[in-house]
Amino acid sequence: MIFPAIDLSNGQSVRLYQGDYNKETVINSDPIAQAQQIQAAGLTHLHLVDLDGAKSGRPINLDIITALRQNTTLFIELGGGIRSLAQIQQYLSLGINRVIIGSAALTHPELVTEAVARFGAESIVVGVDGRQEQVATDGWLTASSTTFSEIIQAMQTVGVMNFIVTDIERDGTLSGPNIALLSRLQQQFPETNIIASGGISTIKDIEDLQTAGIKDIIVGRALYDGDVTIPALKEVMK
């Protein structure tokens, strides 16, 4: 499945370069209209991130997120500062299809255990983000010594099946995804679903990921100033 991405900052749709909040480009001042255009084009899924929430650890763009849910029928996965069962419950009650737990998977792994038990594995995704295969937290602002493999293995043991893997050094760069890393993780953890994120710039990148065994792919900047078009995405999904 292809997930077009909308990253929210101050109520607008933006893109960051390598996760740098000081290198922000506004994509669309009306994220709701942007999501409706995605739906009208025939795509069915949306990857949504509250960047302000990722930094603060609490919902910041809740009004926009609520409006996006109410004004589209897209399957929405949402991340950004989700660090409590109450936040997960709030978003799922709004009709968000599944939530992404990022930093909290490392700092409070018991939250993931409780979330999977209460809401089901289909409602929970763990975001594995970092540089040089070392996990980064707090909106990518803090580095850790935990490796991608270690966090996936730990989360798999408590029932997590879906993992969004982002190589921050590729994110927003249009330099191509880290196929070697993604493929290796999918082979290492064949019972999980490794979701590719970061660096995609062409349809060939998507085809190469599919060839490498990656089924779900998030496409961000490439849709707006790269070589990927929505008709081409629909074709590659067939």
Side-chain angles (χ1 to χ4, degrees), residues 10-88:
N10 295 314
Q12 300 185 103
S13 170
V14 307
R15 293 302 296 160
L16 305 183
Y17 182 83
Q18 295 185 338
D20 189 339
Y21 284 79
N22 295 315
K23 297 179 180 177
E24 178 183 288
T25 301
V26 175
I27 297 296
N28 196 316
S29 61
D30 188 346
I32 299 168
Q34 182 183 356
Q36 290 173 329
Q37 290 164 4
I38 289 169
Q39 179 174 309
L43 298 178
T44 57
H45 287 57
L46 178 66
H47 175 79
L48 185 62
V49 177
D50 182 351
L51 291 175
D52 301 314
K55 283 196 294 185
S56 68
R58 59 187 178 85
I60 298 295
N61 290 284
L62 183 60
D63 290 346
I64 296 293
I65 292 165
T66 302
L68 280 164
R69 176 67 290 167
Q70 293 175 343
N71 289 279
T72 75
T73 59
L74 295 165
F75 179 104
I76 299 177
E77 64 177 19
L78 170 67
I82 299 174
R83 299 172 192 171
S84 71
L85 289 172
Q87 285 175 288
I88 295 170

Side-chain angles (χ1 to χ4, degrees), residues 93-131:
S93 296
L94 283 179
I96 298 301
N97 299 91
R98 65 187 186 191
V99 298
I100 304 162
I101 301 176
S103 298
L106 183 63
T107 58
H108 300 288
E110 69 280 359
L111 172 65
V112 181
T113 302
E114 295 170 4
V116 170
R118 180 179 298 189
F119 306 113
E122 70 281 356
S123 298
I124 305 298
V125 189
V126 166
V128 182
D129 313 326
R131 298 177 174 86

Side-chain angles (χ1 to χ4, degrees), residues 190-235:
E191 296 181 357
T192 69
N193 179 33
I194 299 296
I195 303 167
S197 172
I200 292 163
S201 65
T202 66
I203 288 296
K204 186 178 186 304
D205 288 336
I206 295 171
E207 293 172 339
D208 288 346
L209 284 166
Q210 291 173 329
T211 299
I214 304 300
K215 297 184 292 293
D216 291 351
I217 301 165
I218 296 167
V219 182
R221 183 181 168 192
L223 265 175
Y224 312 110
D225 52 8
D227 294 328
V228 176
T229 65
I230 287 178
L233 284 181
K234 291 175 64 180
E235 187 65 27

